[in-house]
Amino acid sequence: MEDRQENSRVRESRALIWDVARKSGVSISTVSRVLNGRPDVSVATRDKVLAHVRDLGYNSHRHTHAIVRAPLQRIGVSIPNEEHFMGMLHGITDAVNKQKAQLSFCSRSSCCRPEPSLLERLQVEGMDAALLVLPKESDAELLELCHAGFPFVVIDPRTPLSDDIPTVTGANIGGARAATKHLLSLGHRRIGLLVGDTRWCMSIDRLAGYQAVMFATGLPHDPALIRESDFTLEGGYQAAMELLSLPERPTAIFAFSDDMAVGVLRAAAEQGLSVPRDLSVVGFDDARFASFVTPTLTTVHQPRYELGYTGVDVLFRNRAEARLDAIHTSLSTRLVVRQSTGPCPEYL
C-alpha cells in the first residue's frame, strides 16, 4: 500500500532517473545503461529497471529534454590542484559569473564503499553541470554523463577520450613543434626529451609535435635521448641527471612541463654546466615562476585563463543550442623565448 502511494506521488511529480534507480536498488549509471540499450546489464536487472520505469511513468526523452532546457545555476568544477591551475580557475570563475551562475567545487572521492559514480556524486551534490579538469574518471564513466544528458565539459583530458565527450585543450602538438624548431634554429641536433606520463594526452601530442619536426627535417630520432618522468621538479631532476650522464649528452633538453624544466636547471648546475652556454632548456606551460628562475625559462605558453573561460562558454553554448553534441576546441599555444636557450656549444 505504501509503495503504491509513493509511486503515485512520484508519478504526479514526474519521476526522475534517480527515482528509478532508488526503486530498482541499482545505481543511476545502471539505469542509464538500461535506457540506452547497453549490453553490459544482466537480463534480470534490465527487466527490474524497465518494470520500475513503467510503474513510475518515467520518460527518458522528456527527462533529457528537461535537462537540456533547464537553466544552469550551479556549476561544479573538479580540478586536481587549485594552486597549479589558478589561472584556469580565474577564467572559469569570470565566465561563470558572467552567466550569473554559482561555482562550486566537486568532491573527487568518497568514503562510501562501493564508491558512487561520477554522475551520482554530481547529482547528490546538486550540480546542474560540471567542468572536469584532467579528470581521473574513465572514458566509460564520462560517457555515462553523456547518456544521462548531464551537461559537462572536459578541460585538458588526461587520457584519450571518445569523440562523444566535449573537450577544450591547448594546442600541444603546435607548441611542441614551435619549441623543437626553436632549438633546431639554434643549431641543436641532440635534443633530450622529458615526456611525462606517456599515457597522457599532453605527452602523446607533445611527443608527436617533436617527432613531426624531426621527421620533416630529416634528422635522426634517438630513443636514448627520451626519458619518461612525472611532470614534477624531482622527476625532471632525476631524468635530466640520466641524460647528462650519457657518453654523448644532449646539448638541449625539452621538458614537457615547467616543473620538470626547473629540475633540469638544478641537474645542469650540479653537473657544472652553464645554461644556456653549455645546455639549452625549454619547458612547457609558462608557469608564473618561469620568468623568476635563473636563467629565466624559455617555454611554451599555455592559455590557462582562456582554457577555463572557453570551457564555460562551450558548456553554456551547448545548452543554449538545446543539444549536447560534442564540441572539441583547441586553443593556440605560443613559444616564449627567454634566457635558458642559446646556440649549440661549438665544443661538442
Side-chain angles (χ1 to χ4, degrees):
M1 180 67 178
E2 291 181 359
D3 283 345
R4 287 197 298 272
Q5 290 176 340
E6 181 179 359
N7 291 348
S8 177
R9 286 195 298 271
V10 170
R11 282 195 298 270
E12 290 173 1
S13 61
R14 294 188 177 184
L16 301 175
I17 191 170
W18 44 85
D19 295 316
V20 177
R22 181 172 56 82
K23 291 293 293 182
S24 303
V26 299
S27 67
I28 293 173
S29 58
T30 297
V31 176
S32 176
R33 289 198 295 273
V34 170
L35 295 176
N36 285 281
R38 296 274 293 278
D40 53 342
V41 182
S42 70
V43 174
T45 298
R46 186 182 306 278
D47 290 345
K48 178 171 62 174
V49 169
L50 291 176
H52 286 299
V53 166
R54 291 190 296 270
D55 190 41
L56 295 173
Y58 173 72
N59 186 323
S60 61
H61 297 292
R62 181 187 65 201
H63 178 61
T64 300
H65 182 73
I67 285 178
V68 172
R69 292 305 181 101
L72 303 182
Q73 297 177 336
R74 191 176 183 206
I75 312 301
V77 58
S78 176
I79 197 163
N81 184 324
E82 294 174 32
E83 182 178 355
H84 185 72
F85 291 93
M86 189 58 66
M88 184 182 295
L89 191 55
H90 285 161
I92 291 172
T93 301
D94 286 352
V96 169
N97 288 340
K98 182 179 179 181
Q99 296 289 344
K100 301 187 185 311
Q102 175 188 352
L103 185 66
S104 300
F105 286 97
C106 306
S107 63
R108 293 186 63 84
S109 61
S110 170
C111 59
C112 300
R113 293 295 183 270
E115 184 173 328
S117 70
L118 174 61
L119 176 61
E120 290 167 329
R121 295 201 308 271
L122 291 170
Q123 291 179 327
V124 165
E125 293 172 10
M127 305 300 179
D128 298 318
L131 296 161
L132 309 175
V133 181
L134 279 174
K136 293 183 178 180
E137 287 78 15
S138 67
D139 187 74
E141 192 164 3
L142 294 174
L143 281 172
E144 293 293 351
L145 296 184
C146 294
H147 296 154
F150 189 92
F152 74 103
V153 172
V154 173
I155 303 177
D156 268 350
R158 186 179 300 256
T159 54
L161 299 176
S162 166
D163 287 340
D164 294 332
I165 296 173
T167 61
V168 177
T169 63
N172 289 300
I173 294 178
R177 289 174 62 94
T180 306
K181 288 180 178 179
H182 172 63
L183 291 174
L184 291 177
S185 72
L186 293 171
H188 297 281
R189 295 298 180 265
R190 290 188 60 76
I191 302 172
L193 290 185
L194 306 188
V195 301
D197 191 326
T198 54
R199 297 168 298 179
W200 285 29
C201 291
M202 61 181 68
S203 291
I204 295 170
D205 289 347
R206 292 170 193 178
L207 180 59
Y210 160 82
Q211 291 175 330
V213 173
M214 298 297 282
F215 178 79
T217 54
L219 294 172
H221 171 62
D222 187 353
L225 295 178
I226 298 178
R227 291 292 184 277
E228 181 177 354
S229 188
D230 58 2
F231 295 110
T232 66
L233 291 162
E234 297 79 5
Y237 168 78
Q238 294 292 341
M241 290 295 284
E242 292 180 16
L243 289 176
L244 296 178
S245 299
L246 292 174
E248 191 177 354
R249 70 166 178 84
T251 62
I253 293 180
F254 176 21
F256 285 6
S257 77
D258 285 349
D259 282 351
M260 288 196 295
V262 172
V264 176
L265 294 179
R266 176 180 171 181
E270 291 189 4
Q271 293 289 315
L273 300 175
S274 173
V275 176
R277 186 188 65 202
D278 303 314
L279 178 74
S280 286
V281 180
V282 178
F284 207 113
D285 285 335
D286 197 17
R288 291 184 62 189
F289 59 77
S291 59
F292 287 90
V293 295
T294 302
T296 55
L297 186 63
T298 294
T299 184
V300 177
H301 176 77
Q302 279 269 55
R304 290 201 181 277
Y305 178 91
E306 290 79 6
L307 285 169
Y309 197 99
T310 302
V312 177
D313 180 64
V314 169
L315 189 66
F316 278 85
R317 183 149 42 89
N318 270 357
R319 177 51 54 90
E321 294 173 4
R323 59 186 177 86
L324 293 174
D325 293 343
I327 294 179
H328 304 284
T329 305
S330 178
L331 303 185
S332 62
T333 53
R334 58 183 172 84
L335 182 69
V336 180
V337 178
R338 297 194 178 100
Q339 299 171 346
S340 65
T341 50
C344 179
E346 295 181 359
Y347 62 85
L348 290 177

